[in-house]
Amino acid sequence: MKPTHLRLRRACAAAAATGALLAPAAGSAAGTALPGRSAPASVAAATPTPTPPPPPSPDTGTGFTPLTPAVAAQLDAAVRQVMREAQVPGVTVGLWAPGKGSYVRSFGVANKATGAPMAPDLHVRIGSETKTFTVTALLQLVDQGKVGLDDHIGAYVTGVPNGDRITLRELAGMRSGLFNYSMDGDFITQLQAHPEKYVAPRQLLDYSFKHPVQFEPGAEFEYSNTNLILLGLVVEKITGRPLHDVIAKDVLGPAGLRSTVFPTSPALPVPYAHGYTDQTASGKVEDSTRWNPSWAWAAGEMVSDLQDLRSWARTLATGTLLKPATQAERLKTTPMDIPGAGYGLGIFDVQGWIGHNGSIPGYEVLPVYLPSARATMVIVLNTDSQYKGQEPSTLFGEAVTSIVTPDHVYPGHKPVAPKTG
């Protein structure tokens, strides 16, 4: 997972792929298409887009285009175009900016078998967005004086390569040098063969630790899900409680998130969207809704919905659950692999948009906040199948921000092709 990373083998190229947990194996048929029917947008959808669409209203100084009916029509057209090209079953796009209006629309289907429409209230798996919750739980312990960011991981978890040198800060900032377990060939084979099977955190570390370290601690940025599994274990050791309980009581509760859960089974809260992925043994698109997300754990197991992600994007970016000094440490970024993008502690800043993306087989989310306009963008979709080597959530983010924040286009350029393991 790189800021979107939790795909199988995909190393998630920076912001564009920044959050995928798993990356498709080389040669897999990414983007095998569902028949290109474009279901009408859900209840909130507008009438067919005029041709050509009217130009956007001028911005009044905050860098965010007012969400007039004309701009909404442009957004409708842009979203539908990405859906057609990337063959996305369903997507919901939400935009909110003080004084500029809001835009919340769902398009396509949540269930290909029944034709049930995509809708704003549906739960989805959020992949690497989970990292933001795990790191927040860790930083709350920093605020309580129970742990230090410059503590070494070896003081909390035994058997970690370079454990006496890698700090918790380097783990949260993706600069540990530890091999990403979700890039391991045996891991991918086992997951694709038995996607319903529970996988324990220590098993995930075994997949990572059989590989040599990739570089010296702190020397480079490289997105690795292994880092978050270790931080989850640290949170459990310090608190003496299961990670799902810590996040539920210490993060979700204070943040007022009632539709977000850290599940302990493959079940999704109702209502939910079905997820579709081509990260399968056959390379064909399959329904991955019931896949067991335990393999992602602290790096990507959580579930949420549009409105909770909207609230969380602002909470995360503004640091309301942390002391100001701790939030300042979190927001200190180091360069990723695209211009205008930096990664902090379980958070990124991409062209001014602060947050994290998430991708797990069947689902992708992109919840981000633009402080200069106090604007929030949340994109939720029910596939992670790439289109021409790009995350579909990135394609939507680019299309939407090109219209509403032309000076802050996410991610700023076409992403580099993801690596394969």
Side-chain angles (χ1 to χ4, degrees), residues 48-355:
T49 307
T51 307
S57 303
D59 172 48
T60 57
T62 64
F64 195 98
T65 302
L67 295 168
T68 63
V71 171
Q74 281 194 307
L75 290 167
D76 289 350
V79 171
R80 289 191 176 104
Q81 180 177 344
V82 173
M83 286 188 74
R84 286 192 300 270
E85 291 178 351
Q87 297 175 327
V88 171
V91 62
T92 297
V93 176
L95 291 165
W96 303 266
K100 302 303 177 73
S102 63
Y103 171 97
V104 178
R105 303 266 170 99
S106 291
F107 303 81
V109 297
N111 186 328
K112 290 163 54 180
T114 66
M118 195 69 170
D121 64 341
L122 299 180
H123 291 88
V124 296
R125 302 196 191 280
I126 63 173
S128 288
E129 183 69 15
T130 303
K131 292 176 170 66
T132 65
F133 293 95
T134 300
V135 174
T136 297
L138 176 76
L139 294 178
Q140 288 177 321
L141 296 174
V142 170
D143 279 345
Q144 296 165 22
K146 296 179 178 179
V147 65
L149 282 172
D150 296 314
D151 291 353
H152 295 113
I153 185 60
Y156 301 95
V157 181
T158 59
V160 181
N162 282 344
D164 60 340
R165 299 168 57 210
I166 296 171
T167 66
L168 305 187
R169 185 191 303 273
E170 288 163 342
L171 291 169
M174 301 296 176
R175 302 181 69 85
S176 72
L178 295 173
F179 184 85
N180 185 355
Y181 70 84
S182 63
M183 300 278 285
D184 177 79
D186 291 337
F187 166 80
I188 295 169
T189 299
Q190 287 298 312
L191 180 61
Q192 291 181 333
H194 306 286
E196 74 293 337
K197 186 178 179 181
Y198 171 77
V199 186
R202 288 282 182 171
Q203 291 175 281
L204 301 175
L205 295 182
D206 289 342
Y207 285 115
S208 171
F209 296 169
K210 69 182 183 181
H211 295 270
V213 295
Q214 307 298 290
F215 51 82
E216 288 296 299
E220 301 177 27
F221 171 89
E222 185 171 273
Y223 199 87
S224 174
N225 295 321
T226 304
N227 297 337
L228 269 291
I229 302 304
L230 288 167
L231 292 181
L233 292 174
V234 170
V235 171
E236 289 196 332
K237 181 163 187 176
I238 294 171
T239 62
R241 297 152 54 201
L243 180 63
H244 65 265
D245 180 72
V246 175
I247 288 180
K249 294 178 180 175
D250 301 352
V251 182
L252 301 181
L257 304 183
R258 296 187 176 90
S259 295
T260 305
V261 297
F262 196 123
T264 55
S265 78
L268 281 158
V270 293
Y272 59 85
H274 281 246
Y276 302 92
T277 186
D278 60 3
Q279 293 201 85
T280 58
S282 67
K284 296 179 180 179
V285 173
E286 296 179 9
D287 187 326
S288 59
T289 309
R290 305 297 182 190
W291 284 22
N292 193 325
S294 60
W295 65 268
W297 196 51
E301 190 171 357
M302 291 177 67
V303 173
S304 190
D305 69 1
L306 181 82
Q307 288 296 336
D308 265 16
L309 290 174
R310 172 195 177 185
S311 177
W312 178 245
R314 181 181 175 89
T315 296
L316 178 67
T318 58
T320 55
L321 297 185
L322 303 174
K323 293 180 179 178
T326 305
Q327 178 70 0
E329 289 297 307
R330 176 171 220 166
L331 294 177
K332 289 180 181 176
T333 62
T334 54
M336 294 194 291
D337 49 359
I338 64 171
Y343 199 87
L345 303 181
I347 198 169
F348 64 53
D349 182 332
V350 177
Q351 302 297 332
W353 290 98
I354 295 175

Side-chain angles (χ1 to χ4, degrees), residues 367-383:
V368 286
Y369 182 76
L370 184 65
S372 61
R374 293 181 295 148
T376 306
M377 174 174 70
V378 179
I379 297 171
V380 171
L381 56 151
N382 61 345
T383 184

